[in-house]
Amino acid sequence: MLKLTNTLTGNQEEFEPQDGQTVRMYTCGPTVYNFAHIGNLRTFVFEDILRRHLSSKWKIKHVMNITDIDDKIINRSIETGEDIKSYTAKYTAAFFEDSAKLRIQKPEIIAPATDHIDDMIDLVDRLLATGYAYREGDSIYYRISRFPNYGRLSRLDRRELKVGARIDADEYEKEEPRDFVLWKAPKDPREPRWPAPFGEGRPGWHLECSAMAMRYLGETLDLHCGAVDLVFPHHENEIAQSEAVTGHTFVRFWVHGEHLLVDGEKMSKSKGNFYTLRDLLEKGYDPLTIRYLLLSMSYRKQLNFTFEKLKESQAALDRIKEFLFRLRTANLKPGRDPDLAARLVAARQEFEASLDDDLNTSGALGAIFVFIKEANEALETGRLDEQNRAEITDWFKVIDDRLAIIPPMEHPVQDDKEVEEIEALIERRNEARRNRNFALADQIKQELLNRGVVIEDTREGTRWRRK
Ligand SMILES: [Zn+2]
């Protein structure tokens, strides 16, 4: 039974899709005005793990929006002289490139805001008709005083909202300072705008998620995710907009991912600790190592990103790779060692139970590494048999479906001549070692490494593989 922490109640609750079959899930997507930073990407990796785990139990219909219209995008596109479509297209493409490098699966439906303006206009129309929205100047606002549940998700006191909070950073007149904008009249002649019955303009940011979530997933979603900083005001406003027109619960489970810190501090350009995925790849880090680090901590906890931890992540992935290499190439006797088989069953249960426990990824990784240690010992003492190998290989396929952290195994070398050369070098190295000429042995090992060949000395002799 899967348990998730529901922000709406603050409790861990048992999750099941409302129809028992298909999970209807919505995640807030990127605002495509720049490259995604690793804090953003942590959220998308967490949502990917959740998606993969849900998919192991039920069908899934996952919708993600692309915010391709907002103040920042408009300002940048005016500065650069590009229209917003071409300005945002390159960052949308970059986002999916980065996601693919991090092995993040694509949602079933990707919904760019500018392709759904009609749905948003329709929603504003309905909010106007029911008195939840009002006109002020040429813009349309949401009347928060009409919606008594406002603040429930973020547990904000209503009075607190009234006096202090700046809910929307726009400069228009409003009935109350906390009301938020639904439809903005253009201020600058160069701004993009759409015609609407209530006057031309463009949607406020919160509107798109309500309109597109309900369009594709119906009035009540099973699951809505995002980073914690979206709880207020974004998700609070989504609830207000959606429930005002439907009268039903908009989302059954709100699940929010915690922040990422870098070296213990909030990431910021001025502190010089701001990284996009591209920055890290340029420094020579592998995307899989970055994925591993991003998922190594439960989504409910802040993750402190450091370069030391990247190194540890690389070492952890190397342990997996070394183990799978040994497993694949070992000469095994037929049969099935019952003790090791029982250990495998226990490890698989521990892995599933950890993920079911509010997506405890660190617990799931723990189960993998405890088992690797046991299996390595079994290999060394001849207690891992052919049937064990088949069962372990199956489990690692499951792990890769669920966490997508299994390093690629190298392709076998095709060229016989090259194989001969490599094996001749290994033989020379072994001879050098027998003669205790370790300097020469190391030199040959380095030569092999330079050719992209890694060697490993085992009980059964020296094995080699492509790096
Ligand atoms: Zn959203």
Side-chain angles (χ1 to χ4, degrees):
M1 184 62 84
L2 171 61
K3 280 189 182 166
L4 293 170
T5 299
N6 188 351
T7 310
L8 204 55
T9 57
N11 297 324
Q12 271 196 15
E13 295 171 22
E14 285 177 3
F15 175 85
E16 256 197 32
Q18 50 192 328
D19 68 1
Q21 293 188 356
T22 305
V23 179
R24 283 178 282 174
M25 169 172 171
Y26 187 92
T27 55
C28 290
T31 301
V32 282
Y33 74 100
N34 209 334
F35 297 113
H37 60 66
I38 53 171
N40 303 137
L41 292 167
R42 183 197 182 189
T43 306
F44 294 113
V45 168
F46 135 62
E47 290 163 349
D48 183 58
I49 300 293
L50 178 56
R51 181 196 147 83
R52 287 167 181 269
H53 192 53
L54 292 165
S55 303
S56 74
K57 299 171 186 286
W58 300 287
K59 284 187 271 190
I60 191 159
K61 187 172 180 190
H62 173 191
V63 178
M64 182 179 76
N65 65 307
I66 301 284
T67 300
D68 58 355
I69 172 90
D70 88 335
D71 287 339
K72 283 192 232 76
I73 290 168
I74 291 170
N75 294 339
R76 299 270 177 100
S77 75
I78 289 174
E79 279 165 27
T80 59
E82 279 174 277
D83 64 276
I84 56 163
K85 266 282 184 216
S86 46
Y87 180 78
T88 56
K90 54 182 180 286
Y91 293 113
T92 305
F95 173 76
F96 286 110
E97 278 167 32
D98 291 352
S99 298
K101 284 193 180 124
L102 288 175
R103 301 189 180 181
I104 294 171
Q105 291 180 337
K106 272 195 174 176
E108 280 65 37
I109 295 170
I110 293 158
T114 55
D115 290 351
H116 296 80
I117 301 288
D118 287 348
D119 295 303
M120 297 182 225
I121 290 174
D122 181 54
L123 185 54
V124 174
D125 254 341
R126 291 164 75 192
L127 289 167
L128 278 167
T130 46
Y132 284 95
Y134 61 91
R135 168 187 297 278
E136 190 76 50
D138 290 324
S139 295
I140 312 290
Y141 294 88
Y142 188 95
R143 180 177 281 127
I144 288 178
S145 61
R146 273 282 270 126
F147 189 72
N149 272 341
Y150 196 84
R152 197 178 139 209
L153 182 72
S154 47
R155 291 182 191 75
L156 285 179
D157 188 289
R158 286 172 67 78
R159 283 162 308 172
E160 204 182 314
L161 285 169
K162 208 159 191 167
V163 272
R166 256 170 77 96
I167 290 181
D168 203 75
D170 61 77
E171 299 145 26
Y172 296 76
E173 291 300 311
K174 296 183 272 192
E175 263 178 24
E176 286 193 59
R178 64 194 183 130
D179 287 348
F180 61 91
V181 71
L182 294 166
W183 189 258
K184 290 186 179 192
K187 283 183 289 185
D188 186 308
R190 295 169 296 179
E191 257 179 56
R193 69 204 60 199
W194 286 264
F198 36 82
E200 65 172 15
R202 64 185 169 88
W205 170 44
H206 313 297
L207 193 61
E208 66 184 66
C209 289
S210 287
M212 300 193 288
M214 291 195 290
R215 173 181 183 107
Y216 293 111
L217 299 172
E219 294 183 349
T220 300
L221 327 184
D222 289 310
L223 199 57
H224 192 317
C225 307
V228 277
D229 55 351
L230 296 185
V231 174
F232 182 83
H234 184 53
H235 290 161
E236 201 73 75
N237 292 353
E238 282 187 37
I239 294 172
Q241 292 164 156
S242 309
E243 296 190 0
V245 296
T246 67
H248 304 305
T249 300
F250 174 45
V251 172
R252 297 170 56 234
F253 275 75
W254 287 93
V255 181
H256 291 99
E258 259 298 341
H259 278 139
L260 173 139
L261 303 173
V262 175
D263 295 326
E265 290 192 89
K266 219 179 149 200
M267 200 165 46
S268 81
K269 281 189 176 150
S270 59
K271 281 188 203 135
N273 66 351
F274 183 96
Y275 299 109
T276 64
L277 179 65
R278 281 143 205 262
D279 295 333
L280 296 176
L281 299 184
E282 261 171 39
K283 286 176 185 285
Y285 292 99
D286 183 63
L288 191 57
T289 309
I290 298 162
R291 176 180 174 92
Y292 184 94
L293 175 50
L294 294 179
L295 65 79
S296 61
M297 177 70 87
S298 155
Y299 77 96
R300 299 263 307 146
K301 295 192 178 133
Q302 285 196 340
L303 170 70
N304 187 22
F305 183 97
T306 64
F307 286 94
E308 192 53 39
K309 280 193 186 147
L310 263 183
K311 254 195 243 163
E312 290 165 17
S313 299
Q314 183 57 61
L317 289 171
D318 285 347
R319 274 209 298 286
I320 295 175
K321 190 164 178 170
E322 291 301 330
F323 168 64
L324 292 177
F325 174 65
R326 291 187 69 186
L327 184 71
R328 200 174 62 173
T329 53
N331 292 316
L332 302 176
K333 59 183 189 299
R336 180 176 188 260
D337 181 277
D339 287 342
L340 188 66
R343 286 304 311 142
L344 176 65
V345 169
R348 290 188 74 146
Q349 277 168 358
E350 170 82 22
F351 177 82
E352 294 298 331
S354 297
L355 291 176
D356 275 348
D357 178 18
D358 209 2
L359 221 61
N360 176 4
T361 42
S362 55
L365 292 173
I368 298 170
F369 286 108
V370 167
F371 181 77
I372 286 180
K373 187 163 177 289
E374 289 166 346
N376 271 327
E377 283 164 11
L379 268 173
E380 269 152 35
T381 51
R383 290 181 293 109
L384 194 156
D385 301 333
E386 271 177 6
Q387 186 58 31
N388 298 108
R389 167 157 63 193
E391 289 170 9
I392 296 167
T393 305
D394 277 352
W395 185 39
F396 275 80
K397 280 184 199 140
V398 171
I399 293 170
D400 207 26
D401 281 346
R402 222 59 76 64
L403 302 180
I405 50 161
I406 303 302
M409 288 288 147
E410 44 291 319
H411 304 293
V413 176
Q414 303 292 334
D415 185 341
D416 287 347
K417 187 165 163 280
E418 201 190 351
V419 173
E420 268 171 36
E421 283 170 16
I422 291 166
E423 283 176 352
L425 277 168
I426 290 172
E427 186 38 46
R428 269 184 57 208
R429 174 174 167 271
N430 286 340
E431 202 186 313
R433 290 170 80 210
R434 281 193 296 272
N435 298 332
R436 308 191 64 78
N437 187 350
F438 296 113
L440 178 61
D442 284 347
Q443 192 192 319
I444 296 170
K445 186 176 182 179
Q446 188 57 48
E447 197 178 320
L448 285 161
L449 255 180
N450 295 345
R451 300 174 69 143
V453 172
V454 182
I455 54 175
E456 192 195 5
D457 299 309
T458 73
R459 216 161 47 102
E460 292 110 11
T462 303
R463 296 203 201 104
W464 65 273
R465 61 186 169 86
R466 295 256 146 215
K467 207 158 62 168

